[in-house]
């Protein structure tokens, strides 16, 4: 990951968005989340790094207003979140934020606005992105729709985006390639160095319990991460990079 470190150290502000999850009472954390904090620690002396764990936020599902019965009504000015504390820039225009006072997408949006580079971390499940990532990227559709369909300025112009996902045995490279195109559609810059997949095996039929245990060891060795140690210091890391 040294190439990623070297690239991100040149940025003034970097945002990591983690999207994989675990049951919070088990004291276990996702591998991709550990990787995000590992990289954050390595570059934090050179740039400001913020880590937001999406599963810890209350983010409502997308309402699908980009293709409703009225046509495309996503990201219109009428959907602007009318709360100066949540929407200090006035740029957040999402009906799900507007209609749900407890929605916390504003935390993500404001962090994106403040960052020079945004990197998504997560897990490949059933050959696709995990559910938290998919919910998040759908909720951010208004960012793309404002310029692609409404003809306004691309407010993501000049920002880099990356996608670093890990998986067990199937389709990881294709998932990364697809999401790179998605983020390009959004209007981000998508440098190759910020897109990466780690997958334990290319045998899609290797589903033994032993292989899942071996995958943890292989991941730890490849990235230099002790998952048990990480599970013990996660609260401290959250306080540092939140």
């Amino acid at each position: 990951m040294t190439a990623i470190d070297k690239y991100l150290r040149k940025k003034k502000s970097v945002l990591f968005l983690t999207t994989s999850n675990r049951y919070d009472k088990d004291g276990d954390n996702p591998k991709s989340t550990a990787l995000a904090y590992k990289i954050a620690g390595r570059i934090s002396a050179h740039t400001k790094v913020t880590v937001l764990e999406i599963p810890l936020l209350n983010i409502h599902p997308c309402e699908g207003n980009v293709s409703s019965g009225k046509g495309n009504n996503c990201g219109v000015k009428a959907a602007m979140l009318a709360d100066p504390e949540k929407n200090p820039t006035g740029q957040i225009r999402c009906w799900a934020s507007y209609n749900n006072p407890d929605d916390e997408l504003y935390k993500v949006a404001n962090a994106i606005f403040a960052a020079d580079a945004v990197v998504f971390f997560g897990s490949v499940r059933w050959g696709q992105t995990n559910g938290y990532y998919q919910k998040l990227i759908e909720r951010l559709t208004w960012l793309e729709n404002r310029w692609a369909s409404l003809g306004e300025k691309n407010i993501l112009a000049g920002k880099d985006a990356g996608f670093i996902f890990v998986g067990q045995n199937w389709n990881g490279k294709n998932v990364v390639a697809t999401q790179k195109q998605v983020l390009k559609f959004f209007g981000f810059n998508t440098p190759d160095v910020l897109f990466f997949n780690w997958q334990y095996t290319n045998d899609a039929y290797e589903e033994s319990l032993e292989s899942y245990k071996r995958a943890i060891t292989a991941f730890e060795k490849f990235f230099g991460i002790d998952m048990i140690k990480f599970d013990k210091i996660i609260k401290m890391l959250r306080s540092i990079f939140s």
Side-chain angles (χ1 to χ4, degrees):
M1 295 305 240
T2 55
I4 293 173
D5 297 353
K6 184 177 180 180
Y7 186 89
L8 291 176
R9 284 174 180 176
K10 298 177 182 179
K11 301 295 180 179
K12 292 182 179 179
S13 179
V14 175
L15 172 65
F16 288 168
L17 298 171
T18 72
T19 62
S20 195
N21 67 306
R22 294 289 188 275
Y23 176 58
D24 61 2
K25 299 297 190 297
D26 280 347
D28 184 37
N29 289 278
K31 295 185 288 294
S32 57
T33 300
L35 180 56
Y37 280 107
K38 176 82 171 184
I39 299 174
R42 291 201 301 244
I43 68 174
S44 60
H46 305 272
T47 184
K48 178 183 178 183
V49 188
T50 300
V51 181
L52 291 181
E53 296 180 53
I54 299 305
L56 302 182
L57 299 178
N58 183 31
I59 297 178
H60 287 256
C62 174
E63 295 181 358
N65 289 298
V66 78
S67 58
S68 68
K70 298 178 181 179
N72 189 338
N73 195 37
C74 176
V76 296
K77 292 180 179 179
M80 184 180 74
L81 184 60
D83 184 330
E85 292 187 3
K86 293 181 179 180
N87 190 14
T89 65
Q91 297 284 13
I92 301 175
R93 300 187 204 161
C94 177
W95 285 112
S97 295
Y98 185 94
N99 292 326
N100 298 282
D102 63 341
D103 185 71
E104 294 184 304
L105 184 75
Y106 71 92
K107 295 181 179 180
V108 179
N110 289 325
I112 290 175
F113 295 152
D116 300 313
V118 181
V119 184
F120 298 86
F121 291 80
S123 51
V124 175
R125 297 178 179 173
W126 286 110
Q128 270 302 340
T129 57
N130 65 72
Y132 280 100
Y133 172 84
Q134 190 60 37
K135 181 167 70 170
L136 174 64
I137 205 68
E138 289 182 14
R139 279 296 310 278
L140 293 173
T141 299
W142 52 275
L143 287 167
E144 182 267 351
N145 203 62
R146 283 182 52 172
W147 72 269
S149 295
L150 300 180
E152 299 181 10
K153 179 181 178 181
N154 175 16
I155 57 179
L156 299 176
K159 294 182 184 292
D160 288 345
F163 184 90
I164 299 174
F165 269 49
V166 303
Q168 180 70 15
N169 60 3
W170 184 44
N171 210 40
K173 290 182 179 179
N174 291 331
V175 170
V176 172
T178 297
Q179 294 310 312
K180 183 177 183 180
Q181 183 60 61
V182 168
L183 295 171
K184 188 177 295 184
F185 283 145
F186 265 71
F188 286 107
N189 298 328
T190 54
D192 290 342
V193 69
L194 296 183
F195 289 81
F196 182 81
N197 167 248
W198 181 88
Q199 184 172 290
Y200 172 62
T201 177
N202 289 322
D203 182 357
Y205 295 95
E206 173 52 278
E207 286 287 322
S208 67
L209 297 181
E210 291 78 11
S211 74
Y212 280 92
K213 291 180 180 179
R214 291 195 299 267
I216 297 173
T217 301
F219 174 88
E220 291 179 321
K221 183 177 181 180
F222 187 89
F223 292 106
I225 296 175
D226 184 329
M227 289 301 297
I228 293 177
K229 182 178 179 181
F230 174 78
D231 291 338
K232 293 179 179 179
I233 64 172
I234 182 65
K235 289 183 180 180
M236 179 191 70
L237 293 172
R238 285 170 176 156
S239 68
I240 294 172
F241 295 109
S242 62

